[in-house]
Each structure stands twice: as C-alpha cells, then as structure tokens.
C-alpha cells in the first residue's frame, strides 16, 4: 500500500482501486473504521480511481504519538497532506457516515481545494442537525412487513427513550440495511474488528466540532455537493437529509429507494449510476 507522512509525522496508508477515471478520495466512517469495509463501493472503481484513506490508527495507517490527534478536526490536515501527495490541485471527495464530519470540516477549512463533494448517508454531528426520535421511528415503520420488525422496533423504541442496553445496537441493525441478508450481517459483524475502538471517543472529543462556524463556511462553499441518503436509513431520516443538503448553495439530495446506511450494498447499480452522474469525468489533476 502507498503511504505518506501526515504533518505530525504519522505514517498514513491508502489503497488505490481501479485505474480508470479521475481520482476520488474516499473517507471512511465508523468512526475510525478501516476503509476496507467500503469495498469498491459497489463497482464505482470501474468509473473512478478510488483513493481509500486509512485514517490514523486504522487499517495499515500507523497510530499517532499523540492520541489526542484522533480528534476529527485535527485530522483535517491529514486529508490535505493526501491531496498534496497525489499532486491534485482540487480533490473530488466522497465521505461515508461519520467520515462526512471530517469531509465537511475539510471543505470549510480548504474550500479552494474541493472540486465536488459526495456525502454518503452522512453523520450530522459536525453540522449540528437535530434528529428526533419520532423521525427515526417513522422511518423504521416503513419496514413493518419485515419478519424481524417487531423485535427490532421494540429495541429502537428503547434506544429513543434512553433505555438502551448492551444488545440494543445489534437488535436494531436490520434498520440500517435495505435487506437484512448475509451481506448485511457480514458488514455488521466486521465492524468491531475493523474499528479502532480506542480512537472512537477521541474522534468526537470536546472541541472537535463547531457547528455554527462550519455551517457558515459551508454556506459559502461554491462547489457541487451530492448528499445521497438511503430511503430506509433510520440514522438519517428524510427530514434531516433535506435540512443537511440545504446547507450548501449547490447541494443536491438524492434518496436511493430501498437503501439503508450502506447503499452500495443494497443496489450497487443504482448507487454507482447516481454517483457517476453527479461526478462526471472532469479531471482535477494539477497541470503543473
């Protein structure tokens, strides 16, 4: 795997998938999950060259000497160092779930380095959007004909009411997928092993986010932005996705029907078509 040094000297690794099309830097979620879980994003590697960054302390990237640097805002310059490593004047950037917090902070700090931005079922912490329990439950009720629904819905009610237990996350897992099949179960089962559990709390530690400042910066971001949401995703109900997309002057919301939190698993063809249609084929390499 190719690697480069972050500004603090931490050695960071990335994978290159596909050889055709302009590069697309991809930031994983988790938070702090090995980027390998993204696979080839449903075959998107056939359309774009995917640059899969392993965040510090995950995958094959080295852990930092200062564990406080796991904080999301402190990783922004890691992304900037990767841009420089690749020789790109501007970057097309895709971020999934918690990775969207890092992507939006990068866009706010380095707006002149963004070509196009794809936020894939994004986390809302970095921009301060409130998701109500009822909106999550309403999204969940779309699945009431599924055989697993009664137990999963009861667990989600407990979570919303603040009665979560150690088994609640696993119980509601079907709501995060368009199909609760073997692929979805494998995706969830790999989460713990692929995540740097010690870095998770530090990622969102005090000071990581300043939603008001970030929203103000994003309101001035004059680049195309795609927010792709899953029609079944209880982590980002439709109302929250709509509010998020509206933060950007050139934001576009696409809701993938029947998809959950990992839409490239649920319908790869529909997913890759939507992202490719948005990104196009414009080259963003530095001519120098």
């Amino acid at each position: 795997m190719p690697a480069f040094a972050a500004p603090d000297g931490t050695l960071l690794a990335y994978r290159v998938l596909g050889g055709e099309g302009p590069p697309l830097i991809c930031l994983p979620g988790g938070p702090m999950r090995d980027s390998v879980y993204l696979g080839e994003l449903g075959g998107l590697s056939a359309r774009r060259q995917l640059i899969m960054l392993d965040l510090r302390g995950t995958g094959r990237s080295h852990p930092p000497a200062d564990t406080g640097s796991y904080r999301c805002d402190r990783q922004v310059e890691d992304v900037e160092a990767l841009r420089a490593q690749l020789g790109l004047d501007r970057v097309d950037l895709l971020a999934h779930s918690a990775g969207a917090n890092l992507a939006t902070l990068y866009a706010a700090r380095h707006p002149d380095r963004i070509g196009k931005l794809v936020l894939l079922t994004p986390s809302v912490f970095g921009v301060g959007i409130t998701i109500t329990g009822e909106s999550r439950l309403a999204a969940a009720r779309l699945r009431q004909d599924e055989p697993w629904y009664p137990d999963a819905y009861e667990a989600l009610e407990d979570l919303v009411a603040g009665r979560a237990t150690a088994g609640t996350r696993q119980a509601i897992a079907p709501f995060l997928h368009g199909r609760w099949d073997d692929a979805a179960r494998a995706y969830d089962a790999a989460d713990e092993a692929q995540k740097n559990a010690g870095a998770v709390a530090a990622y969102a530690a005090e000071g990581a986010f300043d939603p008001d400042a970030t929203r103000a910066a994003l309101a001035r971001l004059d680049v195309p932005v795609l927010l792709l949401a899953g029609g079944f995703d209880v982590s980002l109900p439709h109302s929250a996705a709509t509010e998020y997309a509206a933060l950007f002057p050139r934001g576009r919301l696409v809701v993938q029907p029947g998809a959950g939190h990992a839409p490239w698993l649920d319908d790869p063809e529909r997913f890759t078509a939507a992202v490719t249609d948005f990104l196009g084929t414009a080259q963003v390499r530095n001519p120098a």
Side-chain angles (χ1 to χ4, degrees):
M1 289 178 68
F4 64 101
D8 67 353
T10 303
L11 193 65
L12 304 180
Y14 61 96
R15 293 175 297 121
V16 180
L17 303 176
E20 300 297 325
L24 174 66
I25 293 178
C26 301
L27 304 180
M32 303 305 293
R33 186 172 177 177
D34 185 336
S35 68
V36 72
Y37 84 91
L38 293 170
E40 298 198 17
L41 285 172
L44 188 60
S45 59
R47 314 284 185 90
R48 296 292 295 252
Q49 183 184 74
L50 305 183
I51 309 297
M52 300 288 198
L53 176 63
D54 281 345
L55 304 183
R56 51 182 53 219
T58 70
R60 295 193 180 182
S61 288
H62 290 196
D66 175 10
T67 57
S69 69
Y70 285 130
R71 205 173 73 177
C72 184
D73 62 317
R74 295 183 62 182
Q75 295 191 60
V76 167
E77 296 312 309
D78 293 352
V79 181
E80 176 63 0
L82 175 57
R83 178 202 64 77
Q85 166 76 10
L86 296 172
L88 300 173
D89 181 41
R90 289 174 176 262
V91 295
D92 285 349
L93 187 61
L94 178 148
H96 175 238
S97 189
N101 296 313
L102 179 55
T104 51
L105 290 182
Y106 178 83
R109 192 180 300 177
H110 298 285
D112 57 331
R113 295 303 189 182
I114 294 286
K116 292 184 179 181
L117 177 62
V118 179
L119 301 178
L120 176 56
T121 59
S123 162
V124 300
F125 285 109
V127 294
I129 291 174
T130 299
I131 300 179
T132 67
E134 178 50 38
S135 67
R136 297 190 194 277
L137 292 170
R141 287 193 287 270
L142 298 173
R143 314 297 296 280
Q144 57 188 329
D145 293 332
E146 303 277 3
W148 44 260
Y149 174 82
D151 290 342
Y153 188 79
E154 182 178 358
L156 184 61
E157 286 184 308
D158 288 341
L159 179 65
V160 166
R163 300 190 300 267
T165 65
T168 298
R169 182 193 176 281
Q170 184 55 42
I172 68 171
F175 284 127
L176 297 176
H177 298 277
R179 295 185 305 277
W180 188 232
D181 55 12
D182 289 344
R185 291 184 180 90
Y187 176 97
D188 274 25
D191 180 75
E192 184 174 353
Q194 293 174 347
K195 190 179 291 183
N196 182 340
V200 170
Y203 187 80
E206 184 177 358
F209 306 123
D210 183 345
D212 289 341
T214 300
R215 290 166 74 109
L218 298 180
R220 300 187 297 269
L221 186 67
D222 188 22
V223 302
V225 179
L226 171 66
L227 193 153
L228 196 152
F232 285 157
D233 187 10
V234 298
S235 69
L236 186 72
H238 187 268
S239 58
T242 300
E243 182 179 350
Y244 204 146
L247 297 179
F248 304 94
R250 300 171 64 185
R252 178 199 306 180
L253 173 63
V254 172
V255 178
Q256 184 173 316
H261 198 57
W264 67 91
L265 291 180
D266 297 316
D267 190 337
E269 291 186 5
R270 188 186 291 267
F271 170 78
T272 56
V275 176
T276 302
D277 176 68
F278 170 74
L279 289 174
T281 57
Q283 181 58 275
V284 292
R285 284 196 181 278
N286 186 343

